[in-house]
Amino acid sequence: MKAITLWLSGTAVVSLAVAAPHAMAQEASSATASDKGAPEIVVTAQKRSERLSKAPISVSVVTQAALDRQSIVSADQLITTVPSLQLSQNGFAIRGIGSNSSFSGYSTVATQFDGIYNPSSAALGLAMFDIASVEVLRGPQGTVYGRNATAGVVNVNTADPGRDLGGSASVQYGRFNEIKAQAAVDVPVSDTFAVRVAGFRDVNDGYGPQLKAAERFDKTDLAGLRVTAKWAITPTLTWRISGSYGRNQGTDAAIYLRNVNYYPDANLKTGSFGPVTIIPSDALNPGLDQVAANRQDVTSYDVRSRLVWQATSSLSLTWLAGYSWLDNNGVTATTGVFSQEYLHDKTNTWSNELDINYQQGPIKLVAGAYLYQDTQPSGLRLLHAGNTAPAPFAAVYNAFGALVPSVGNQIGTINAVDVVNTYSGEGSRSHAFFGQGTYSLTDRLRVQAGVRGTWDEATAHEQQLVCPGATVTRSTISADTCPTGVTIAYTDDRSRAPAHFSRVSWKTGLDYDVTRDILAYATVSTGYRGGGLQSSSNPAAYQQYAPETVTNYEAGLRASLYDHRVYIGLTAYQMDYKNLQVSSIIVDPVQGPVSVTTNAAKARIRGVDFETTLHPTPRDTLSGYVSWLDTRFLSFPNAPDNLHSADTMYNIFAPILGYAAIPSATADYSGNRLPNAPRFSARASYAHVFALESGARITPSADFYVQSMIYASADNVVQGRVAGYTKTDLNLRFDGASGHLYVNLFVNNAENSRITTNVVPVWSSTTANYALPRTYGVRVGFKY
């Protein structure tokens, strides 16, 4: 603890030494024209409005203008816009914490839309449009936001209705025949009631191959519609309600081989591997050329309500209520060996939260109560779980009817099993009470403290049927009967007792006004991610996992200088995890490879984030961040070793040929780095406005991002090492003299960097899929 305190204190002292001369110069100078600086950004990260430069919390803000400049149309594309934000398979990752499995429970980063929690990773791929701002909170938010926010929170705030009749629209055409159109209109029905209607459509041809599928892989097909109303019922009572529709009918990402493993000295008689030879590859994953179904089909409806009563000048009450309905009826993963698709899998969520905000004299307080439930009342998931094997082990598959035979030193594949999950109440319930307050000890020094009690219930009411591979189709699927009449395994968990978890999270800290424009703060906070249930057909050790907890030590500076021309945000932190939930793949004797969640004993994360925005002149804007991150598993013994474990089909067939079966292996990952955690990342953005004599403006801008290498998995094997990369986005915008019309030319990913979004190393090979290559186009828009 002493070392942590000294390290954080030292960082803060150095930061103060750098920033203080600027503040003193600003205080000594006469007031300059404040309209030349940028308006102060207001955030609601702590469930009360406060200026970004006065928020004692690690928070970043992304505006709609920044989203447009980088052609960001869905929440999953927000990565790299703020420090330490990456993508994991079931949501976001922040500071290296995020899941590597799409079915490993809830994300460690709580995603909220207009203050309403949405647990579904599928919702991140839906259209994100007509946004007021996106707030990204880094570090555990256990007191105000509760469970499943151990790594942070992403708040997506949609635009409010305007007071005047008006609107905007734009249409974009770009590479891959992309057409993106969006529009919004404000209708003031009366002085107290206004409505905003916004719509969005984005389609392209896809940038992946088509092969035997009906459409190309990596195709975008998004649509969205939102109606928002705001009603000042009385001078003290305001109601905001919105209803939205979203649809994603794009296609899955194409899967490529990054490398192939080959064991030239392997001994099949004894089951020994010998040294591995890693063969680089850029081929399509074996079997992908035979895939016919690759289309996603996700539909969502959401209703979100916020009722605010300003009871007195110092007391307000807010009631937040939300309901969402999501239907997944398409393919969500297909590699040519493995596929996952849903058949009208429903996910319903509802939540209610009552917040009380009180501010009087030296006291600022937010307190509340929270109720939440999500459930999968019906629907099915079909997994086609094929197996792969490296040479020379793949010779076993060749002898028993390989799906893709192994030739030379290449891998081979074989059909294994089809797993059908039928849902009838899978989900969770949660309720909590919380309070967090700030008390001003002096006019410059404040102390804050908060606490939250959370009670969770997890249910796993489902049936799981395991059939021979490549026998179940959408037309023959059944909850309890295999089409061939041969059942490998069947589990009925519909009467399974729920699991219960609870936790008290807390936060304490100090913040201090070094000067009028510089805030320094230090906090200690805790977070909690609920435990969960997994199929009771899994091996005993993988039927349930425990909650994870984190303690975060953080110190930072926030400064707004030179009449808001300079913003500085500096944060240093250390996060200590216990029972960290880690996704991995085990080899089940019946089902074959199964994705599971396990608890690593301990992990430590520490780092420094520096953010700044500069307005040296009224026409110039420079912004960016630099992030350094150091992550370690302090203790993770007996972890599943995927690179030295054969799959189920191999162990069934090998003894028939007189070869040895290969038992599942374990390894000690203590000391390894966490996945998806670059040591270094940075972004720089610059824009300059050229004013023409006609009154028109031309604004060139550039966004540059760079990050260092990462490991894709907890084993830190060289096969899963992903090199660093850079990405540059260029824009040239023309605004007409009237201010109503604009034309924007853009090039995104100018380097044409091949940016991986998901990398999976297993014993035979390493697979990956990739983000958009270089894109370019033109956007035309107007507002009135």
Side-chain angles (χ1 to χ4, degrees):
M1 179 68 72
K2 183 177 180 181
I4 294 170
T5 305
L6 288 174
W7 177 70
L8 291 172
S9 301
T11 303
V13 169
V14 171
S15 304
L16 286 169
V18 172
H22 297 284
M24 289 186 290
Q26 193 265 352
E27 287 183 332
S29 66
S30 60
T32 58
S34 60
D35 60 350
K36 293 182 181 180
E40 277 270 45
I41 295 175
V42 175
V43 296
T44 57
Q46 300 188 97
K47 297 201 173 177
R48 65 171 185 258
S49 297
E50 55 191 340
R51 290 181 294 163
L52 177 63
S53 61
K54 292 296 183 181
I57 191 172
S58 183
V59 57
S60 301
V61 178
V62 184
T63 64
Q64 180 67 66
L67 301 178
D68 288 342
R69 196 169 65 244
Q70 299 171 61
S71 297
I72 294 174
V73 296
S74 60
D76 55 8
Q77 296 173 337
L78 283 169
I79 60 171
T80 77
T81 57
V82 301
S84 303
L85 183 66
Q86 299 283 328
L87 197 64
S88 66
Q89 285 195 38
N90 74 337
F92 291 111
I94 291 180
R95 295 177 177 174
I97 298 297
S99 171
N100 291 325
S101 171
S102 59
F103 27 91
S104 65
Y106 299 92
S107 171
T108 56
V109 179
T111 303
Q112 309 219 6
F113 294 87
D114 292 327
I116 307 297
Y117 174 61
N118 192 314
S120 175
S121 60
L124 300 184
L126 298 173
M128 189 174 67
F129 61 99
D130 199 37
I131 302 301
S133 68
V134 179
E135 298 176 356
V136 180
L137 290 68
R138 297 182 294 279
Q141 310 297 323
T143 52
V144 175
Y145 291 97
R147 64 165 196 162
N148 301 337
T150 52
V153 173
V154 175
N155 284 327
V156 180
N157 302 309
T158 62
D160 279 341
R163 296 182 178 180
D164 301 315
L165 179 65
S168 62
S170 67
V171 61
Q172 172 180 309
Y173 180 79
R175 191 182 180 192
F176 306 114
N177 287 322
E178 181 189 42
I179 299 176
K180 181 170 70 174
Q182 53 187 339
V185 60
D186 291 319
V187 181
V189 179
S190 69
D191 291 341
T192 60
F193 184 72
V195 176
R196 184 178 181 89
V197 181
F200 175 90
R201 190 77 171 95
D202 185 17
V203 295
N204 64 28
D205 290 343
Y207 60 90
Q210 181 169 346
L211 307 173
K212 290 188 176 181
E215 298 175 293
R216 297 180 69 172
F217 285 85
D218 296 287
K219 177 185 176 179
T220 299
D221 189 343
L222 297 172
L225 178 68
R226 183 185 305 117
V227 179
T228 305
K230 194 170 184 179
W231 182 20
I233 303 173
T234 73
T236 60
L237 185 64
T238 303
W239 186 25
R240 183 191 193 273
I241 186 168
S242 69
S244 62
Y245 160 83
R247 188 77 182 266
N248 180 3
Q249 291 187 304
T251 60
D252 285 326
I255 304 297
Y256 296 83
L257 287 173
R258 280 176 58 86
N259 51 62
V260 171
N261 294 338
Y262 168 52
Y263 299 88
D265 299 326
N267 189 323
L268 276 65
K269 291 288 186 180
T270 61
S272 60
F273 287 80
V276 62
T277 298
I278 302 171
I279 305 170
S281 175
D282 194 30
L284 289 169
N285 201 51
L288 193 69
D289 58 346
Q290 302 300 314
V291 170
N294 64 353
R295 188 177 185 182
Q296 304 173 63
D297 189 359
V298 178
T299 305
S300 74
Y301 296 91
D302 300 88
V303 178
R304 297 187 285 269
S305 170
R306 178 191 296 267
L307 186 66
V308 181
W309 177 38
Q310 191 69 46
T312 69
S313 59
S314 57
L315 176 66
S316 68
L317 286 80
T318 301
W319 176 32
L320 281 169
Y323 174 80
S324 69
W325 177 90
L326 185 143
D327 182 281
N328 194 341
N329 191 40
V331 179
T332 61
T334 179
T335 70
V337 179
F338 169 92
S339 71
Q340 174 179 261
E341 60 183 307
Y342 289 89
L343 285 77
H344 288 297
D345 176 44
K346 306 291 194 302
T347 301
N348 299 330
T349 69
W350 65 262
S351 64
N352 282 275
E353 180 175 341
L354 180 64
D355 294 339
I356 301 172
N357 271 270
Y358 176 79
Q359 184 171 343
Q360 181 71 44
I363 299 175
K364 294 180 181 179
L365 175 68
V366 58
Y370 179 71
L371 293 173
Y372 169 83
Q373 178 175 327
D374 63 61
T375 183
Q376 292 174 265
S378 62
L380 301 95
R381 182 185 68 180
L382 172 59
L383 302 180
H384 294 288
N387 293 154
T388 64
F393 299 97
V396 172
Y397 290 171
N398 289 351
F400 283 90
L403 180 64
V404 177
S406 172
V407 179
N409 53 19
Q410 296 300 302
I411 66 175
T413 74
I414 195 169
N415 286 319
V417 295
D418 291 344
V419 182
V420 178
N421 297 88
T422 304
Y423 302 112
S424 55
E426 185 115 344
S428 70
R429 296 179 181 178
S430 180
H431 64 278
F433 299 94
F434 65 92
Q436 183 168 302
T438 300
Y439 183 80
S440 297
L441 300 173
T442 70
D443 59 348
R444 300 175 71 175
L445 179 64
R446 295 162 295 277
V447 61
Q448 59 176 294
V451 66
R452 184 185 188 106
T454 303
W455 294 265
D456 289 332
E457 178 183 279
T459 57
H461 293 169
E462 66 175 274
Q463 299 160 266
Q464 179 165 289
L465 176 70
V466 183
C467 303
T471 59
V472 182
T473 66
R474 292 179 73 93
S475 61
T476 63
I477 196 168
S478 167
D480 52 16
T481 305
C482 294
T484 62
V486 177
T487 298
I488 296 176
Y490 173 71
T491 305
D492 189 346
D493 283 338
R494 286 177 291 178
S495 300
R496 188 178 181 183
H500 294 90
F501 312 95
S502 62
R503 185 69 58 176
V504 173
S505 301
W506 53 267
K507 179 179 182 178
T508 186
L510 292 170
D511 58 274
Y512 177 70
D513 292 324
V514 180
T515 71
R516 181 184 63 188
D517 299 315
I518 299 179
L519 171 75
Y521 75 92
T523 59
V524 181
S525 59
T526 64
Y528 153 71
R529 184 189 188 195
L533 294 171
Q534 302 175 108
S535 175
S536 62
S537 62
N538 287 356
Y542 303 104
Q543 295 177 9
Q544 182 170 324
Y545 53 91
E548 71 180 21
T549 59
V550 60
T551 302
N552 181 57
Y553 307 90
E554 184 169 304
L557 285 174
R558 304 290 179 264
S560 181
L561 311 172
Y562 300 117
D563 292 318
H564 312 312
R565 290 193 180 109
V566 178
Y567 167 76
I568 294 174
L570 181 66
T571 307
Y573 57 88
Q574 175 160 319
M575 304 171 71
D576 294 333
Y577 273 87
K578 294 182 179 179
N579 289 323
L580 178 66
Q581 294 172 11
V582 178
S583 300
S584 56
I585 299 173
I586 64 168
V587 179
D588 180 77
V590 176
Q591 304 173 63
V594 177
S595 181
V596 298
T597 296
T598 58
N599 292 98
K602 293 181 180 179
R604 185 263 297 147
I605 300 166
R606 61 185 180 188
V608 177
D609 296 332
F610 174 79
E611 297 179 89
T612 187
T613 301
L614 308 174
H615 297 276
T617 75
R619 297 181 180 178
D620 293 277
T621 302
L622 175 65
S623 63
Y625 66 79
V626 177
S627 180
W628 173 79
L629 182 62
D630 178 36
T631 65
R632 284 285 181 273
F633 288 110
L634 298 182
S635 177
F636 193 5
N638 302 315
D641 183 358
N642 298 330
L643 263 67
H644 297 93
S645 299
D647 56 59
T648 301
M649 299 303 290
Y650 180 86
N651 286 334
I652 291 174
F653 292 139
I656 298 174
L657 299 177
Y659 301 144
I662 301 173
S664 297
T666 60
D668 188 350
Y669 295 158
S670 303
N672 284 7
R673 286 170 53 179
L674 271 65
N676 300 314
R679 284 189 181 274
F680 170 82
S681 60
R683 171 176 287 280
S685 303
Y686 176 71
H688 177 80
V689 178
F690 292 94
L692 306 181
E693 291 184 3
S694 63
R697 293 177 299 163
I698 296 177
T699 307
S701 62
D703 293 87
F704 175 78
Y705 175 78
V706 59
Q707 79 170 41
S708 60
M709 64 81 63
I710 61 172
Y711 286 108
S713 52
D715 49 21
N716 284 193
V717 291
V718 66
Q719 296 96 316
R721 182 184 174 111
V722 182
Y725 68 92
T726 65
K727 179 176 180 284
T728 303
D729 301 327
L730 304 173
N731 281 264
L732 182 64
R733 174 166 168 150
F734 170 82
D735 288 272
S738 66
H740 296 304
L741 177 69
Y742 71 87
V743 179
N744 192 82
L745 303 175
F746 65 89
V747 178
N748 292 327
N749 190 6
E751 302 93 326
N752 204 29
S753 296
R754 202 146 192 239
I755 302 169
T756 59
T757 56
N758 183 39
V759 176
V760 180
V762 294
W763 78 312
S764 60
S765 57
T766 302
T767 58
N769 51 276
Y770 298 92
L772 277 165
R774 181 188 299 120
T775 57
Y776 41 80
V778 59
R779 182 185 308 115
V780 179
F782 72 94
K783 55 185 177 180
Y784 59 93

